[in-house]
Amino acid sequence: MAKNYITIKASLTHQGKTANPNISFMEDGHIVHHNFQHIILELNLNSTGVSFLNYICERMNAKDNTILINGLFKVEYIAFAKQISGKAPEIRTLGNLIDKFVEKYLLIERLDLPFLYIVNPKYFSKGSKSARKKLLQLLLSTEYDGKINKEALLNEPFESFFK
């Protein structure tokens, strides 16, 4: 995945000396919606858990929030974590985190496609507000019947809509 950067010419002064370096900032990212904080607190995520969740969100497909989380993805994350922190989590740890993310609906399993997940747009998105709304509408449409657990997108238990 190509990363996009913006470059800013800085003006820095220290002890009477001035420097004008070019500073690069990553443009790519994701939006975190405020209504997921209770889940993060419930999961009691450590730094590895938060980092892995951010890594997933950064790499999700911007159009439909999909992400393929297979063995290669986990190995890539481990290499990334080791590179930036010197710490390498175990694959088993990442598998346990994925299970927790699915259980708390931060990730939605594609029931028809193994290793494919949808990062829950209720909590995270890339792109515009209108694109997020369209994705939420699509996921709640009949097109996704039997492909995902729609309860992940609801604010009330699934059964409560059928009383």
Side-chain angles (χ1 to χ4, degrees), residues 33-113:
H33 303 282
H34 73 279
N35 60 351
F36 88 106
Q37 293 297 334
H38 65 288
I39 296 171
I40 295 297
L41 293 170
E42 282 177 29
L43 290 173
N44 196 25
L45 294 179
N46 62 15
S47 58
T48 299
V50 172
S51 172
F52 189 48
L53 182 58
N54 275 317
Y55 187 84
I56 289 167
C57 290
E58 289 170 3
R59 281 154 184 75
M60 70 181 164
N61 181 305
K63 182 180 175 189
D64 59 7
N65 280 27
T66 57
I67 185 84
L68 183 67
I69 306 178
N70 57 14
L72 177 60
F73 183 86
K74 293 174 193 173
V75 167
E76 288 172 348
Y77 173 76
I78 290 168
F80 167 77
K82 187 169 177 89
Q83 177 188 1
I84 64 167
S85 71
K87 298 177 184 176
E90 295 182 17
I91 285 187
R92 183 180 67 228
T93 300
L94 301 181
N96 291 339
L97 285 168
I98 292 165
D99 292 344
K100 288 179 181 183
F101 297 161
V102 168
E103 178 185 333
K104 293 297 184 180
Y105 301 135
L106 297 175
L107 291 176
I108 303 169
E109 271 185 293
R110 279 294 305 256
L111 303 174
D112 56 336
L113 299 167

